[in-house]
Amino acid sequence: MKGTSLFGLSAPADVKIQLDDAEQRRTFDIAINRSQPRERLPLYFDREPVRGKVLVRVGHGKRLEHNGIRVECVGAIVVLNDSSQSKEFQCLSQELAAPGEIRQNTTMDFEFRNVEKQYECYYGINVQLRYFIRVIVARRMGNMIRESDLLVRSYHEPKDDPHSIKMEVGIEDCLHIEFEYNKSTYHLKDVIVGKIFFLLVRIKIKHMELCIVRRETTGFAPNTYNESETVSKFEIMDGAPVRGEIIPIRLFLGGYDLTPTFRDINKRFSVRYYLNLVLYDEENRRYYKQQEITLYRRREDDGLPPDANTGTEED
């Protein structure tokens, strides 16, 4: 929960957001801000209603004068390195109180029915996709604002992906490697299975590793910004291979902090994943080959049964 007040003045009241059935709802610990502790957020589905209460606590002998109190259900893309790229793509609003004053503790109910949540939440290095409840207490000396995040996740299994990935790494007359992965689309608890074939080895290879790289892309062409981070680094060979050798690969994804692939979300950002096969020789020269893979989230990946309620509200 976050709060702001103009000029940093202390407010005569405390405003809190309390979501209905928060204690019974499935929650997850999420790193919203990487420099701060993880927060526990409640899980919501597309079209599921969002209900709760706004609690206004007034100090003894004090009063809260305001120009109206409003609650909003917001979906926003926040680009941290360029605020001009940020956008609220959804904002539902309800008036809770007309202008006046509050002299005692007050509770105000709110309900947003059949709320569209078309995107999954994402909290990255330079971009965030958030859904949150925002309460605005309008005041002459600066608005009081409180926010409470919701976690939205999407479960969309793609069609079968039977084809494998086959690629080559080669340096003429020095090195020729073929490698194969069993498929190009994986769920977040899947296992990457593959093989490395050494067809020609005339350089002294020291070791080889397989990396999963996440790449965020924000902005509009030609002014796009890419930020890459290595999510995992898995050593698959130590020492010099010989011609004809085959190295097996089994990389379990469940132990890493991965998200689904995001492609051109609201024309603001993308998140893609790549497998990097990297070889180092004895002089620390680096050879690599990169292949994009697609990740998706299943209900089972979040510990939910396959037929879990999607939250769709019946009329």
Side-chain angles (χ1 to χ4, degrees), residues 125-139:
I125 298 176
N126 285 316
V127 64
Q128 296 180 345
L129 195 155
R130 300 173 55 209
Y131 290 89
F132 55 95
I133 297 298
R134 178 168 61 202
V135 174
I136 302 174
V137 180
R139 301 179 67 212

Side-chain angles (χ1 to χ4, degrees), residues 256-273:
Y256 301 108
D257 188 15
L258 302 171
T259 71
T261 296
F262 294 81
R263 289 191 172 91
D264 198 24
I265 300 300
N266 204 249
K267 302 189 182 298
R268 285 296 192 280
F269 78 97
S270 297
V271 180
R272 291 180 166 86
Y273 286 88

Side-chain angles (χ1 to χ4, degrees), residues 32-231:
I32 296 179
N33 188 320
R34 299 192 178 197
S35 63
Q36 297 178 1
R38 300 171 76 92
E39 297 184 29
R40 183 169 290 269
L41 302 183
L43 178 65
Y44 282 81
F45 298 102
D46 184 29
R47 300 294 179 181
E48 188 174 10
V50 181
R51 304 182 179 98
K53 297 176 176 60
V54 174
L55 311 176
V56 181
R57 298 289 183 253
V58 182
H60 179 69
K62 295 185 178 181
R63 62 179 182 175
L64 173 63
E65 296 182 0
H66 63 87
N67 295 323
I69 301 177
R70 183 170 76 254
V71 62
E72 298 174 338
C73 185
V74 182
I77 295 173
V78 182
V79 182
L80 303 176
N81 62 350
D82 185 357
S83 59
S84 67
Q85 302 279 357
S86 299
K87 178 184 179 182
E88 292 187 0
F89 57 85
Q90 175 177 293
C91 184
L92 307 176
S93 181
Q94 293 178 7
E95 296 294 332
L96 296 180
E101 63 178 40
I102 297 176
R103 293 179 176 268
Q104 59 185 5
N105 295 343
T106 303
T107 300
M108 293 170 280
D109 296 327
F110 66 85
E111 178 180 7
F112 297 97
R113 296 177 59 85
N114 199 29
V115 180
E116 183 180 13
K117 311 176 194 72
Q118 65 184 95
Y119 304 122
E120 173 162 329
C121 288
Y122 176 75
Y123 304 94
I125 298 176
N126 285 316
V127 64
Q128 296 180 345
L129 195 155
R130 300 173 55 209
Y131 290 89
F132 55 95
I133 297 298
R134 178 168 61 202
V135 174
I136 302 174
V137 180
R139 301 179 67 212
R140 183 174 59 85
M141 294 299 294
N143 295 344
M144 294 175 57
I145 300 175
R146 297 292 184 270
E147 296 177 359
S148 182
D149 279 76
L150 317 173
L151 179 63
V152 175
R153 286 183 168 171
S154 301
Y155 305 99
H156 301 296
E157 293 200 27
K159 296 180 180 179
D160 292 340
D161 180 36
H163 70 280
S164 60
I165 303 173
K166 294 182 179 181
M167 293 183 294
E168 297 182 2
V169 175
I171 304 173
E172 189 173 358
D173 298 328
C174 294
L175 179 69
H176 186 193
I177 297 175
E178 290 183 352
F179 57 99
E180 178 179 338
Y181 302 121
N182 58 333
K183 53 187 178 180
S184 61
T185 301
Y186 299 88
H187 61 77
L188 299 186
K189 303 295 183 182
D190 216 335
V191 182
I192 296 175
V193 178
K195 296 178 181 179
I196 310 284
F197 303 89
F198 289 88
L199 305 179
L200 176 65
V201 183
R202 290 180 180 171
I203 58 176
K204 295 182 179 180
I205 298 175
K206 184 168 62 175
H207 70 271
M208 179 167 56
E209 61 191 23
L210 184 65
C211 302
I212 300 177
V213 176
R214 176 165 49 220
R215 180 178 300 161
E216 290 181 7
T217 302
T218 57
F220 303 98
N223 299 317
T224 57
Y225 182 81
N226 293 307
E227 182 77 46
S228 297
E229 62 176 327
T230 300
V231 179

